[in-house]
Amino acid sequence: MRRRYAVGGLLIAAAAVLLAVPGSALADATDLERAIAGKLDPSVGVNTMWVIVAGALVMFMQAGFAFLEIGFSRGKNAGTVVAKILSNFSIAAVGWWVCGFAFAFGGPLGSFIGHDGGFFFSDLGAYTAVQGGTQVFHPSFPVMDLSNATIESKFFFQFVFCAVSLAIVWGTTLERIKFGVYVIYAIVFSTLIYPIGAHWVFGGGFLQVGDWLGTGIVGMQDFAGSTAVHLIGATGALAALLLLGPRKGKYGADGKPRAIPGHSMPLFGLGVLILWLGWFGFNPGSTLNALDGRFAEILIITNLAAAFGVIAAVATARLKTGTIDIGMAGNGAIAALVAITAPSGYVELWAAPIIGAVAGVIVVLGVYAIDKYIDDPVGALSAHGLAGIWGTISCGIFTAPRLAQYNGFGDPNGGLWYSGSFDQLLAQVVGFAIAFTFVFVMSFSTFWAIKKLYGLRVTEEEEDAGLDISEHGMYGYPEQFIPQPEYPGAAPTPVPIPATVSAVTADRPSEA
C-alpha cells in the first residue's frame, strides 16, 4: 500500500513542477500574422489539416489496442486495460511536451540526441530559412523542414507515434503486472528511451543521416517506424517479460505452454480493424504533405500489404495446425502493417504483396516459437518485433531509386533488387541492431530497478482474483463476478414456475 501512495506522491510532485514552468509562446505566431494579413500560403492550411487528420487516425489506434488487449484478456482483467491505455497516453503526452519532441526531432542532422528546439515546446528557433537555395520550415527540426505544415501539427503527429510505441510494450504484460509499473516506465520511455531511439532512426539522427564516425555506411531508411516505433516498443516488451515471468498456469509441469484463451474474439477483431484504419494515418501521414499526392499511393501500398499478410497468416496457420486460427488472422494483418511501415514511402506497389505475405508467415511461426519460452498473450514480440525487423530489412532489398532520391535518405541507387549493392541492406541491419541494443539495455535496466524498488508482479492471490478488483477495486464486467443478491440494482430472484404451468408449456411446440 505504501508503494502505491509513493507512486501517487510522485505524480503530484511532477504536476507541481510542471505548473511552475512559465508559459511559452507557440512557434506559429508568424503564420497567424500572415493569415490576418491575408498573406498565408493556402498550402500551409492544407498540409496542416492533413497532418492533423492523419494524427487523429493514429490516436484512434489507442482504441484498437484497447479492444485487442481486452479481447485477449480474461474477463476478470478486462477493465484494467482501459485505465492503462488512458494513463499511458496521458503520461506520454506530458513527457513529449517536456522534452520528448525536442530530443526526437530537434537538430542538428546526424546528432546523437536532438538539442535544437527548446523543452516544453518553447524556443523553437527560426520559422523559415534558406538552405542550399531551398526554403525550409522550422529548421530547428530539420528532418521535417521541407513540409510547411505548422510545427504544432508535426508535434501532435509525432506524439501519437510515441504513444503507439508505448502501447506496444504493455500488451505483452497482460494479467500479472502492477499498475504502478505502467506509470514509472511510461515516464522514462516518453522522455528518454523512445525520443533518443526514434531520433537515431527517423528523427534526423546519426543512423538516418549515415556515414557516422566515418564508417561510410549509408543512411538508414525507415519511412514511418518499423524500427523507430514498432521494434522499439517490442524491445521494451521483451525486457519487461524477461523480468516479469509468465502468467500463472501458462506452463505445465512438463514445461509445455498451455493456451489461456481471451474472453472475446469479437472485441479482438474490432481492435484489429481499428488498427488497420489507423495505419492509414500512420504511413500516409508521414508524408507531412498533402500537395504532392504521395499519401494516396502510400495508402494503397499499406492496404495491399495488410491484405496479403492476412491471407498468408491464415494459410500458414492452417498448414501448421489444421485450423484457421482467429488470432493468427488478426496478427497477420498487424504484422504486415508493421512490416510495410518502414518501406511504405520507399517501395513501388509491386513490392507490397511480397513484404506483407512474408510478414504473415513470420508472425505465425514466430508466435508458436516464442510461446514455448515466453508468455506473450497478444503476440506482440512477433507481430511488432520480428515483423518490424523484416520491414526494416525489406527497405535494403526493395527500395526504389526514385523514392530514395525523393526522400533524401539512404543509397540513391536503391536497394539490392535495383542496385545489386548490399549498401542499403547493410545500413538497415546495422541500424536496427543498434536501436534494439540501446532500447533493450535502457528498458531492462529500468524494469530491473522497478522490480527491486517497487516490484513488477501482483501477488498470486491478486492474480487469481484478477487485476480489475485487486488493482482498481471494481470489475470491468461486474455482473459476471458479483453475486446477484449482492449486486446493486440486480433483478429480484425469479419466482418458481408452478409444476402445472411447466407441464402445459412443455407440451406446446417451440416457436421458430
Side-chain angles (χ1 to χ4, degrees), residues 7-21 94 97-98 120 187:
V7 173
L10 177 63
L11 291 176
I12 294 172
V17 171
L18 295 178
L19 290 174
V21 176
V94 175
W97 168 59
V98 172
F120 298 99
I187 294 171

Side-chain angles (χ1 to χ4, degrees), residues 406-469:
Y406 185 85
N407 293 322
F409 294 107
D411 186 351
N413 296 314
L416 178 63
W417 181 266
Y418 291 92
S419 67
S421 168
F422 287 89
D423 287 352
Q424 192 62 59
L425 188 58
L426 175 64
Q428 301 302 105
V429 172
V430 171
F432 88 70
I434 291 175
F436 170 85
T437 302
F438 166 75
V439 175
F440 182 80
V441 170
M442 288 287 292
S443 296
F444 192 89
S445 300
T446 302
F447 283 120
W448 182 87
I450 293 172
K451 185 173 184 178
K452 293 297 182 182
L453 299 175
Y454 174 76
L456 288 177
R457 290 189 72 117
V458 298
T459 65
E460 284 194 16
E461 292 76 14
E462 290 170 330
E463 187 175 348
D464 285 337
L467 302 189
D468 285 6
I469 194 66

